[in-house]
Amino acid sequence: MKADRLGADSAVTALAPLIWGSTYLVTTELLPPGRPLLAATLRALPAGLILLAVGRRLPRGGWWWRAAVLGFLNIGAFLYLLFVAAYHLPGGVAALVMAVQPTVVLALSALLLKERITPVHATACALGLAGVGLLAMTPRAGLDAVGVAAGLLAAVSMAGGIVLTKRWGRPHGVGLLTFTGWQLTSGGLLLLPVTLIAEGLPGTIEGRNVAGFAYLGIVGALFAYVVWFRGVERLPALTVSVLSFASPLAATALGYLVLGETLSPVQIAGGLTVIAAVVLARPRAAGRGPSGPAPHRPVRRISRASRPGPRPRPTAVRSRPSRTPPHRG
């Protein structure tokens, strides 16, 4: 794969976590309070049904349970836990807690995908975690036990979903939109009965609530998850996971631009550290190192006589009299 294509795939995939970084702002400013299950369900199920209607294809055979598992990890459990963390923690702190995801992906990739853990990968994870920690250093940075637990579980859930998606791949002949629709729909269907039983429907819905749900469903789910699963297919699992560090970066930037929050020099240093981690973890084309393409080396052809190793022993050939009569002119 060429380096320019890898860079383009990484840039496109980073759009998903950048969009997800706005979840914290939309949750606190536009959604009805105390409704994490409703928010997760309305974010996943409508988008999934739209993609199913476009693809017009259901899973077959073993892909029924695989789609259910991926829908639970990538969508159902992850979105619910994400909204619990968003309701209980400031955006930067929630992002800090969930920044353990690349480390979990690193361990699971070594176990399930047999990928080798390199010093570069470990350094990228450490830099990203440190950078998100610096970003979360705000006067409003408070800790809540429920929010912290939800954030950690959300990170583990998404990490497992990334690795299993990479391991199982996509069924032959099934398009990316359809594959994404399977997961969004299965995750939304798992959430729907729990939402109706545990939370129910709100008595009133305001215009800003509708706008918030529409944004999260169309932009934050339908578009972002298609982009995300495209990146999971084309990029290494750890690279995709490290790109998720862009989410707290976006959350901090939106807090500065929309909510009027100030950025300290420490937070600016954290943002630069996160960017360095993403750049460090970017994939490189085969034969291309960090400093550019490998130098061309001429190939020296080795003759059979000059090759190392024992030479075949000559076999004695007996001369036999020819039975063919001599040619007479």
Side-chain angles (χ1 to χ4, degrees):
M1 187 180 291
K2 295 182 179 180
D4 54 351
R5 183 176 177 182
L6 287 170
D9 288 337
S10 298
V12 172
T13 306
L15 291 176
L18 286 173
I19 292 171
W20 292 336
S22 64
T23 299
Y24 310 105
L25 176 66
V26 173
T27 299
T28 55
E29 300 298 318
L30 298 179
L31 299 189
R35 298 278 182 172
L37 281 170
L38 180 65
T41 303
L42 291 182
R43 181 174 181 174
L45 189 55
L49 293 176
I50 291 174
L51 292 179
L52 278 187
V54 173
R56 297 182 180 181
R57 183 168 181 178
L58 295 177
R60 294 181 180 180
W63 271 103
W64 279 105
W65 68 266
R66 287 186 178 184
V69 171
L70 294 178
F72 174 78
L73 293 175
N74 286 324
I75 309 298
F78 171 73
L79 288 182
Y80 168 66
L81 294 167
L82 172 67
F83 281 110
V84 171
Y87 276 116
H88 284 79
L89 297 172
V93 179
L96 170 62
V97 173
M98 295 182 63
V100 301
Q101 175 186 305
T103 305
V104 180
V105 169
L106 189 67
L108 291 178
S109 297
L111 291 175
L112 299 179
L113 304 179
K114 306 303 180 183
E115 292 185 357
R116 186 171 60 92
I117 300 177
T118 65
V120 173
H121 292 159
T123 302
C125 290
L127 278 178
L129 188 60
V132 175
L134 295 176
L135 282 173
M137 288 186 177
T138 63
R140 300 187 314 121
L143 294 180
D144 176 273
V146 174
V148 171
L152 290 175
L153 291 175
V156 173
S157 179
M158 176 60 89
I162 290 174
V163 174
L164 285 181
T165 302
K166 195 72 178 176
R167 180 182 176 89
W168 290 338
R170 178 159 43 99
H172 178 71
V174 175
L176 180 60
L177 295 180
T178 302
F179 185 62
T180 305
W182 289 356
Q183 298 188 52
L184 286 170
T185 303
S186 60
L189 289 176
L190 290 173
L191 288 169
L192 182 59
V194 182
T195 301
L196 296 176
I197 295 173
E199 287 184 1
L201 299 177
T204 58
I205 293 289
E206 301 178 3
R208 62 190 183 93
N209 303 147
V210 175
F213 286 130
Y215 171 80
L216 292 177
I218 297 174
V219 181
L222 195 153
F223 173 76
Y225 271 107
V226 170
V227 169
W228 181 252
F229 289 130
R230 175 185 178 274
V232 171
E233 285 186 354
R234 300 189 177 196
L235 299 172
L238 181 66
T239 300
V240 176
S241 187
V242 171
L243 289 176
S244 65
F245 284 136
S247 181
L249 199 62
T252 304
L254 288 173
Y256 172 77
L257 296 173
V258 179
L259 302 179
E261 297 177 351
T262 58
L263 292 178
S264 66
V266 173
Q267 288 179 297
I268 295 175
L272 295 176
T273 305
V274 168
I275 295 173
V278 172
V279 172
L280 185 63
R282 76 190 189 281
R284 296 176 175 87
R288 182 180 179 90
S291 59
H296 174 72
R297 295 180 180 178
V299 178
R300 183 171 62 91
R301 297 186 180 274
I302 303 177
S303 63
R304 180 174 297 182
S306 61
R307 288 179 182 173
R311 297 182 180 179
R313 299 176 62 182
T315 57
V317 180
R318 294 180 178 180
S319 60
R320 296 180 180 181
S322 174
R323 297 181 181 179
T324 305
H327 176 72
R328 299 179 182 271

